[in-house]
Structure formats: structure tokens, C-alpha cells
Amino acid sequence: MEYLKIEEIAQKWGIGVRRVQLLCADGKVEGAVRFGRSWMVPADAAKPVDGRTKAGRTLAGGDMPLPRKTPFLYMTDLYHTPGTADSVGEGLSYNHEAQVLFEAEVAYSRGDVDKVYESANYLLGKHSGFYAVLSAGMLLAMCAIWKGDINMWRRAKIHISEAPAKNDYDRDTMQLAISAVDIMLYSVQSFPKWFQIGCFEPIHKDAYPAAKVYYAKFLYAIAYSVATGTLKLPGAEGLYVMTAVPHTLEPLICWANERNTVMSEIYLRLTCAAAYHNYGNDQEAFRHIDKALALALPDRLYGVLAEYCRALDNLIEKRLSLIDQNAWNEVMRLYKIYNEGWSKLSGAVRGKTILTTLSDKEREVAKLAAFKMSNQEIADRLNLTIPIVKQAIRIISEKSGLPRSSFAAIL
């Protein structure tokens, strides 16, 4: 591909060099590549529509291709600096669908579910383009989790499956979107074979940051299922698979950091922290939690933190309460809503009852028991006495009506 310098593109498009630089920095020039402080632009790159003009505003009112070929717009390099989420959204005013979509995804990350629901229905009712429809369906599924609404969940998956795919390339992206919805409830069955081996070639490279996030969630869900005995893999049992997960995720985190994809880095770090925590390495878990908090707090992305409170038990609470008391209060408020909704929906989808009446300590004991740990191992991990562990096991059994061997079903 032939590339031109900023000065050459500016002359070709008849605009100033500074304007071209801003367009590239805002992600409005497809294919633009940054080298140090300079940009190189594909010679055949189209001049972006100027949303400040009358013609641009007219076009912005109709369907326009998204600035990135992916339904996961907020995970791309459009959002590359913590604390700039709102300004990035404002900068997408030249493309109305992209702006609505990006701002809705940021709203989800903040736990503003009502805005997400409104935006998703707007995009679906507007008969938007392929990627916008996929993302709107996913947003609707996210709302269903927070609300515990199985009918909304099913409707969301129908919207995704009815997106206007034009070729196999689109259909592969659609399949990934369906799988990304399922993995929210730890279901890994719908992931295509090419994705399960870590191959992302069937989808556009713009979707790679998100694909890495969902691949991380896929690996974590597999490891969790093996650890609880709900999935059998030849030669693997207990927490052995979980110990291997960070070896795959650490390089993905470095990649996200190097590409400045803020949202994907937050998700990857929290998923990696959950893996470390589950097999007892809280020191490494805290390392990733601290860095995730540094990325999330400037834009108040409290919803994402609330989403991971289940997997990380009280680790986020411990760290956040020391940094920002107001943020901690909001995350805890959102976590209560998310936990109740997730438990209700997950139970309805799986035909089981997910307990929400367990205390934080009881839930942690139940999880470790589901990992097939002995009372002594649980006591050592949580710094408890064996009598206290036995008492917790008894209370969990009384609340759930299930024996210790079935605790995985209530988590």
C-alpha cells in the first residue's frame, strides 16, 4: 500500500496540515498510521466528511460507515487516553451512528444502563448498518444482564442474528458477537473453532482488540469450568488450567498497552487478575487491579469494575476503598444491581438458582469448595480456622439445599 506524508495529503484534500493531523488523531482517517510524532496516510484514503459543514450535517443524519469496522467501537484505538471518553464521543459528531454507539458503550462502562437501553433501541429501530446493529444487540444483552430479563436477552440475540450480513466475513463477525454475549454468562459453547484456537483472521483487524478481550474471557471461563468440574478436559483437572491462563493473557495486555486501547487493556487486566486470584496469587492480581483502576477511574468507568467484583471477590473493594471513597461507594452500589441481575438471568438461562444471599466470605468459601479444595486448604487460603470453614460450608448447604459437591451450581 502506498502512503503519503501529512503535507501531501493536506495538499491533495485542500485543507491545512493541522486539520489532517487532528483527523488522524481522532481516528477519522481510515488506515492512517502513526510513526513517532508523524502520520502516514494511505494514498487512496478518502477525505472524511466535515461534520461542521451543512453537507456534513446532512450526511451525518443518515447511515454512514462506522470509523472502525467492528461492533466493539469503544475497545478500538479511538479511545486511547484515560480521561478522554467524553471528548472522543464529542469528536464523533461527524458520524451520528458512531457517536450514539460509542457513547452508549461508554455509558455501559459507567453502569448507566437506562442510557444504554435507550441508545440500543434507537439504533435497532433506525435500521442501522451491520456493525451498528450487532453492537446494539450486544448492548441490549448487556442491559438484560443488569436487569435480569431473559426475554430481553433472547430478543437481543435475535437482533444480532438478523443483522444485515452481506458475506462470510460479516457472518463470522456475527458469530463472534453471539459468542461474546454468551460468555457474559460463562457459556463457551457457541465460540467458533477458529476463535477457540486464538485465530482472529476471519474478522477485520479493527475488531482485534475486542477479540482479545473475549478470548481472555473464553480462556478464563474454560479454566473456571475445569476447576469446578463442570467441564472435563483430557489431562486437566482442578486449578491446573487456571494457572496457565496468565501466561497467555500477559502478552495480550502488553499488546493492548502498546496500542493504547484503553478499554481492552482494562478488561484484559481484570480478567488476568481474576485468574491469578483464583489460584491464590493475590500479589499479581493486585498489580493488574491497580493498573486497571488507574485506567478506569479518570472516566468513571465504574460499571466495568462492578462487573468484575464477582470474579475478584473483595479485591477491588480493598484497593478502591483506599484510593477513592466516593468511587468505591458507587462501584458497590452498581455491583449490587449487577450481581442481582446477573444471578437472576444466569439462573434462568441455565435452569438453576444462583444464590445472592451468601455473604462475601461464604461465597468465597463456596467457590474454593467448588474448586475441590479441602477444608484445610480453604482455611489456609482465607486465613480462617477449620471450624469456621466447616461452619461456612454448613451454612452454604442450608441456604442452597445442596451438598458441597454441587456448590458450583449456585455460583
Side-chain angles (χ1 to χ4, degrees):
M1 180 181 293
E2 181 184 359
Y3 285 87
L4 299 178
K5 296 180 179 179
I6 287 286
E7 294 79 7
E8 295 172 312
I9 283 292
Q11 184 177 8
K12 178 180 177 181
W13 289 349
I15 59 178
V17 171
R18 178 59 178 163
R19 179 62 181 161
V20 177
Q21 290 173 330
L22 290 173
L23 290 171
C24 291
D26 288 341
K28 298 177 182 178
V29 180
E30 186 169 356
V33 180
R34 186 168 188 169
F35 295 96
R37 296 184 178 181
S38 302
W39 289 90
M40 297 296 289
V41 179
D44 60 352
K47 177 182 176 182
V49 176
D50 191 341
R52 301 169 299 175
T53 66
K54 182 178 179 180
R57 288 192 295 271
T58 300
L59 284 173
D63 291 341
M64 295 178 63
L66 296 182
R68 296 290 185 273
K69 293 182 174 62
T70 172
F72 317 100
L73 206 56
Y74 70 143
M75 291 190 190
T76 68
D77 58 356
L78 289 176
Y79 178 34
H80 51 73
T81 305
T84 65
D86 291 331
S87 61
V88 172
E90 293 170 0
L92 291 170
S93 60
Y94 69 96
N95 186 320
H96 184 63
E97 282 193 0
Q99 185 174 39
V100 171
L101 178 54
F102 180 86
E103 291 180 348
E105 290 173 332
V106 171
Y108 171 78
S109 301
R110 291 172 171 167
D112 188 354
V113 179
D114 289 338
K115 179 175 180 178
V116 177
Y117 182 75
E118 179 182 342
S119 299
N121 282 304
Y122 169 80
L123 289 169
L124 291 169
K126 191 173 178 290
H127 305 293
S128 304
F130 173 71
Y131 290 110
V133 170
L134 283 191
S135 192
M138 291 188 66
L139 289 171
L140 200 62
M142 293 171 178
C143 291
I145 291 179
W146 285 74
K147 295 178 180 294
D149 189 332
I150 192 170
N151 291 323
M152 186 187 298
W153 171 265
R154 290 168 176 164
R155 191 167 79 250
K157 296 183 76 170
I158 290 173
H159 282 302
I160 294 173
S161 64
E162 292 180 346
K166 298 178 181 178
N167 48 48
D168 290 340
Y169 190 85
D170 286 352
R171 281 183 279 276
D172 282 327
T173 305
M174 181 189 295
Q175 189 173 10
L176 176 58
I178 287 286
S179 303
V181 165
D182 288 339
I183 198 63
M184 296 174 192
L185 302 182
Y186 290 146
S187 173
V188 300
Q189 305 304 318
S190 61
F191 279 106
K193 294 297 183 182
W194 52 266
F195 185 86
Q196 293 183 27
I197 62 173
C199 173
F200 307 143
E201 290 181 358
I203 60 177
H204 194 278
K205 63 181 181 180
D206 287 347
Y208 283 10
K212 294 174 190 294
V213 167
Y214 290 109
Y215 188 61
K217 290 189 174 188
F218 167 76
L219 293 179
Y220 176 82
I222 289 288
Y224 186 90
S225 297
V226 170
T228 57
T230 56
L231 176 67
K232 303 296 183 182
L233 289 181
E237 62 180 20
L239 285 170
Y240 172 76
V241 178
M242 188 71 75
T243 64
V245 171
H247 294 286
T248 299
L249 301 196
E250 291 282 8
L252 298 186
I253 291 168
C254 290
W255 179 91
N257 179 266
E258 189 272 331
R259 296 297 180 93
N260 296 318
T261 51
V262 173
M263 191 57 65
S264 62
E265 184 177 347
I266 292 172
Y267 274 112
L268 287 169
R269 286 192 182 279
L270 292 176
T271 305
C272 193
Y276 277 125
H277 172 59
N278 278 339
Y279 68 81
N281 192 342
D282 282 354
Q283 182 177 352
E284 287 302 302
F286 280 131
R287 175 171 67 88
H288 284 296
I289 289 172
D290 289 344
K291 292 185 177 180
L293 290 176
L295 295 172
L297 292 181
D299 275 313
R300 310 179 307 283
L301 306 180
Y302 304 145
V304 176
L305 301 178
E307 180 182 330
Y308 274 84
C309 284
R310 281 186 60 85
L312 286 164
D313 297 313
N314 64 347
L315 296 194
I316 289 179
E317 177 182 353
K318 285 182 178 179
R319 256 352 191 217
L320 192 53
S321 62
L322 298 174
I323 299 172
D324 188 327
Q325 188 69 34
N326 290 331
W328 174 75
N329 288 335
E330 181 63 10
V331 170
M332 292 301 101
R333 182 186 72 82
L334 291 173
Y335 171 56
K336 182 179 180 180
I337 298 171
Y338 179 85
N339 186 45
E340 291 178 355
W342 186 93
S343 299
K344 181 179 179 180
L345 179 61
S346 182
V349 170
R350 292 191 278 173
K352 299 176 180 179
T353 299
I354 310 299
L355 279 191
T356 58
T357 57
L358 299 179
S359 68
D360 291 342
K361 188 59 66 179
E362 289 166 356
R363 187 177 182 281
E364 198 165 4
V365 169
K367 182 171 69 172
L368 296 180
F371 287 163
K372 308 300 185 293
M373 287 189 176
S374 67
N375 288 346
Q376 184 65 62
E377 290 172 324
I378 295 174
D380 291 342
R381 171 77 71 86
L382 302 180
N383 295 317
L384 302 174
T385 64
I386 290 182
I388 290 178
V389 172
K390 290 181 177 179
Q391 181 184 28
I393 295 291
R394 184 172 63 254
I395 291 173
I396 296 165
S397 293
E398 290 173 354
K399 287 183 177 180
S400 65
L402 295 174
R404 177 184 184 134
S405 59
S406 300
F407 281 178
I410 62 173
L411 298 173

